[in-house]
């Protein structure tokens, strides 16, 4: 069993009243919150920890593995914040992209999914500001054909190779005479990710399948608009050094982490970080919808926030915010609070991930606080939703444990969808995989270690025998 980790009183820097992420991450009905105490001197980030509770719940006393160290130090995360270098970079890019100077070439992984189609809606709003270089899709060739005809990409990939002939037939019927280079399979997505002169790659592929294409894009010098949280959850120990080695930027494209990123921007003198994240009531894919129901989605976002912003897990918590309007808040050392608010629309964080640091005018409805009326918050139920504590336990263990957690969750969700296990079995499957991996954790995993752990965890999860009546 995963039991609470005893926490020294000197480390009780947990904000556990909100669980909707304030960084707290919440699901389709909530928000998450991160409280971080950071002191920045030049390019060095140091983090003295001070007591900070919200709502009276001590996160560190709730989750984690027995007899394991708590990795509590701040570090330079994947997002370009919290250092003198990132501040300089932001300022320079702002000057380079003023007004009419802005133009961006992009490729999209998962172009026919929710992230991909919303990214292309942004392109439609400002077609003179964007050029679509490459598209990678799954099996929806009808939508892909429409995208090819409209955006004229240079290269595309289809995950299902058997769909290529159908795609060509549709394109012929549409009168498309000049076909892009057409690739297939997982390797095709990798080729699209690293292809040509695209400056930014939007990673909208669901699950660990997005890891290898993201690595390929980084090695090709592309900036990453990160909409695939599993990339950092499974591969954070590999991704972070690659971003530094190839001098590329990772900009969060989901609502929670984009909100934190936008709130942190330019505040090099903050001492305490308190981020409110929320997952609004948007239409989502089946896997993410189930993750939201179990609140594993929030747990995964906590791990993602850790890697993006270099924040210790003790300073990340989850809050429920039913209105899904506050996306993040930053509390500075003098207790001032900076909040990022907006209607629950994924296009806004996607837009900033591909235009950062430029703010592009958009014909969208302004937020009307009078119309909204009120904002409310509440704590999540950890006993009812044990997946959150499992995610914290995996994050605190570190190394390959987060890979095992992610793979176990993906497999458990798939088993649930196939009626092999019941809903209440999902956290049990994940916990059994974590127990099985506990003595095999690789503290500094290589890419091979990550891929091997991912494969092992999926196979181990399949051995779980449900005790719940499955219908």
């Amino acid at each position: 069993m995963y039991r609470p980790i005893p926490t020294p009183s000197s480390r009780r820097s947990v904000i556990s009243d909100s669980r909707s992420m304030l960084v707290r991450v919440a699901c389709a009905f909530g928000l998450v919150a991160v409280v971080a105490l950071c002191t920045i001197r030049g390019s060095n980030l140091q983090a003295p920890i001070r007591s900070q509770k919200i709502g009276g719940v001590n996160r560190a006393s709730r989750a984690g593995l027995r007899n394991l160290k708590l990795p509590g130090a701040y570090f330079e995360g994947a997002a370009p914040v919290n250092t003198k270098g990132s501040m300089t970079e932001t300022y320079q890019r702002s000057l380079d992209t003023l007004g009419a100077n802005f133009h961006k070439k992009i490729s999209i992984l998962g172009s026919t999914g929710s992230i991909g189609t919303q990214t292309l809606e942004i392109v439609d709003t400002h077609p003179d500001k964007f050029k679509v270089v490459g598209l990678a899709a799954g099996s929806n060739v009808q939508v892909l054909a429409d995208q090819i005809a409209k955006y004229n990409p240079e290269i595309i990939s289809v995950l299902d190779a058997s769909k290529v002939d159908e795609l060509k037939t549709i394109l012929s019927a549409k009168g498309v005479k000049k076909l892009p280079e057409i690739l297939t399979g997982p390797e095709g997505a990798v080729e699209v990710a690293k292809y040509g002169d695209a400056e930014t790659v939007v990673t909208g592929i669901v699950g660990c399948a997005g890891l290898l294409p993201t690595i390929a894009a980084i090695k090709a010098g592309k900036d990453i608009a990160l909409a695939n949280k599993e990339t950092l959850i499974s591969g954070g120990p590999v991704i972070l050094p690659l971003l530094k080695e190839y001098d590329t930027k990772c900009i969060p494209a989901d609502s929670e982490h984009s909100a934190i990123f936008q709130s942190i921007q330019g505040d090099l003198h903050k001492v305490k970080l308190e981020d409110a994240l929320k997952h609004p009531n948007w239409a989502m894919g089946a896997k993410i919808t189930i993750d939201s129901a179990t609140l594993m989605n929030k747990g995964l976002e906590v791990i993602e926030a850790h890697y993006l912003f270099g924040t210790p897990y003790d300073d990340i918590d989850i809050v429920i915010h039913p209105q899904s309007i506050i996306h993040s808040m930053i509390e500075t050392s003098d207790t001032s609070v900076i909040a990022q608010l907006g209607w629950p629309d994924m296009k806004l964080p996607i837009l900033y991930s591909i235009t950062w640091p430029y703010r592009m005018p958009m014909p969208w409805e302004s937020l009307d606080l009078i119309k909204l009326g009120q904002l409310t918050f509440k704590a999540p139920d950890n006993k009812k939703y044990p997946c959150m504590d499992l995610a914290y336990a995996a994050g605190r263990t570190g190394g390959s444990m987060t890979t095992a957690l992610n793979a176990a969750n993906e497999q458990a969700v798939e088993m649930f969808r196939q009626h092999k296990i019941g809903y209440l079995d999902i956290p049990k499957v994940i916990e059994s995989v974590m127990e099985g991996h506990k003595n095999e954790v690789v503290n500094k995993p290589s890419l091979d270690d990550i891929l091997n752990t991912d494969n092992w965890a999926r196979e181990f999860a399949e051995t779980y025998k449900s005790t719940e009546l499955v219908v």
Side-chain angles (χ1 to χ4, degrees):
M1 283 289 293
Y2 284 85
R3 297 179 176 85
I5 301 179
T7 306
S9 58
S10 62
R11 294 188 51 93
R12 302 176 78 179
S13 167
V14 198
I15 40 180
S16 40
D17 103 339
S18 32
R19 240 150 184 196
S20 112
M21 270 169 146
L22 267 169
V23 135
R24 290 153 222 237
V25 185
C27 77
F29 52 85
L31 186 167
V32 182
V34 155
V35 167
L37 179 58
C38 309
T39 299
I40 297 177
R41 295 176 183 147
S43 61
N44 296 318
L45 179 64
Q46 300 183 20
I49 296 179
R50 73 183 180 196
S51 177
Q52 182 61 234
K53 277 191 179 181
I54 301 180
V57 184
N58 190 326
R59 161 66 65 192
S61 68
R62 280 199 301 262
L65 295 171
R66 298 176 66 192
N67 304 320
L68 290 174
K69 290 184 177 180
L70 295 178
Y74 285 74
F75 57 95
E76 185 175 347
V81 293
N82 286 339
T83 67
K84 184 177 180 180
S86 64
M87 184 62 167
T88 302
E89 175 87 3
T90 301
Y91 178 70
Q92 187 58 53
R93 289 198 184 202
S94 297
L95 294 178
D96 292 342
T97 57
L98 286 176
N101 293 331
F102 181 87
H103 189 270
K104 181 68 67 74
K105 296 180 180 179
I106 64 173
S107 290
I108 304 171
L109 309 181
S111 68
T112 60
S114 175
I115 297 297
T117 54
Q118 290 182 86
T119 302
L120 291 171
E121 287 178 27
I122 293 169
V123 173
D124 291 342
T125 304
H126 288 286
D128 58 321
K129 299 295 186 182
F130 299 98
K131 162 63 179 171
V132 177
V133 175
L135 300 171
S139 59
N140 192 338
V141 292
Q142 181 62 62
V143 173
L144 179 60
D146 292 340
Q147 293 173 348
I148 293 171
K150 186 172 186 178
Y151 301 104
N152 192 30
E154 299 171 19
I155 185 172
I156 66 99
S157 76
V158 184
L159 182 62
D160 187 348
S162 68
K163 296 283 188 175
V164 171
D165 288 342
E166 180 183 353
L167 174 64
K168 291 181 177 179
T169 299
I170 298 172
L171 289 173
S172 177
K174 288 179 172 293
V176 177
K177 302 188 182 304
K178 183 180 178 182
L179 296 180
E181 181 179 355
I182 300 176
L183 303 173
T184 61
E187 300 81 4
V190 168
E191 292 301 316
V192 170
K194 65 183 183 181
Y195 178 83
D197 58 354
E199 301 159 83
T200 295
V201 176
V202 180
T203 61
I205 296 177
V206 175
C208 195
L211 176 60
L212 293 181
T214 302
I215 288 175
I218 293 171
K219 289 184 175 180
K222 319 290 188 186
D223 285 344
I224 305 299
L226 185 70
N228 171 286
K229 65 174 63 68
E230 292 84 2
T231 292
L232 285 180
I233 294 162
S234 291
V238 170
I239 294 295
L240 265 60
L242 285 176
L243 289 168
K244 183 172 292 188
E245 179 181 353
Y246 291 93
D247 193 26
T248 56
K249 309 303 175 187
C250 181
I251 312 299
D254 63 356
S255 63
E256 298 84 0
H257 303 95
S258 175
I260 299 172
F261 180 63
Q262 293 180 59
S263 296
I264 294 174
Q265 284 288 294
D267 185 14
L268 281 178
H269 302 290
K270 69 184 177 302
V271 172
K272 189 174 66 178
L273 160 67
E274 177 179 328
D275 288 311
L277 310 180
K278 65 118 194 62
H279 204 338
N281 302 314
W282 301 319
M284 299 172 287
K287 194 265 182 183
I288 299 176
T289 300
I290 296 171
D291 282 350
S292 294
T294 63
L295 281 187
M296 176 55 89
N297 200 38
K298 298 309 107 190
L300 296 178
E301 287 169 353
V302 166
I303 298 172
E304 184 182 9
H306 168 77
Y307 281 116
L308 277 170
F309 305 110
T311 306
Y313 288 101
D314 286 358
D315 292 339
I316 304 176
D317 209 347
I318 301 172
V319 176
I320 305 303
H321 172 44
Q323 293 80 24
S324 298
I325 294 297
I326 297 180
H327 305 285
S328 76
M329 295 189 293
I330 299 298
E331 183 177 359
T332 59
S333 57
D334 61 0
T335 71
S336 297
V337 175
I338 303 168
Q340 194 268 333
L341 292 76
W343 296 120
D345 188 336
M346 270 300 298
K347 289 194 288 293
L348 179 56
I350 294 172
L351 171 67
Y352 195 62
S353 74
I354 60 177
T355 62
W356 168 81
Y358 179 63
R359 293 287 184 174
M360 183 169 290
M362 299 298 287
W364 296 338
E365 179 186 6
S366 296
L367 180 64
D368 188 338
L369 293 176
I370 304 300
K371 178 180 177 181
L372 183 65
Q374 65 176 351
L375 301 175
T376 59
F377 308 90
K378 61 181 179 180
D381 187 337
N382 286 60
K383 291 183 178 179
K384 186 176 181 180
Y385 301 103
C387 284
M388 289 183 290
D389 281 347
L390 291 174
Y392 273 93
R396 287 192 168 96
T397 303
S400 58
M401 184 60 87
T402 55
T403 305
L405 169 91
N406 182 71
N409 179 61
E410 288 188 14
Q411 196 64 33
V413 168
E414 185 61 29
M415 292 163 67
F416 173 65
R417 294 177 62 192
Q418 295 174 359
H419 305 288
K420 293 181 179 179
I421 63 173
Y423 171 79
L424 296 178
D425 285 318
I426 292 175
K428 297 175 184 177
V429 172
I430 298 167
E431 184 171 13
S432 70
V433 171
M434 291 174 66
E435 282 287 347
H437 189 58
K438 183 168 59 176
N439 295 324
E440 305 296 329
V441 173
V442 181
N443 291 326
K444 295 183 178 180
S446 64
L447 179 58
D448 285 342
D449 292 327
I450 288 170
L451 297 177
N452 290 337
T453 299
D454 182 87
N455 290 333
W456 169 85
R458 293 173 193 275
E459 293 174 359
F460 191 91
E462 283 284 355
T463 67
Y464 179 84
K465 302 299 182 185
S466 176
T467 58
E468 187 179 349
L469 178 62
V470 181
V471 294

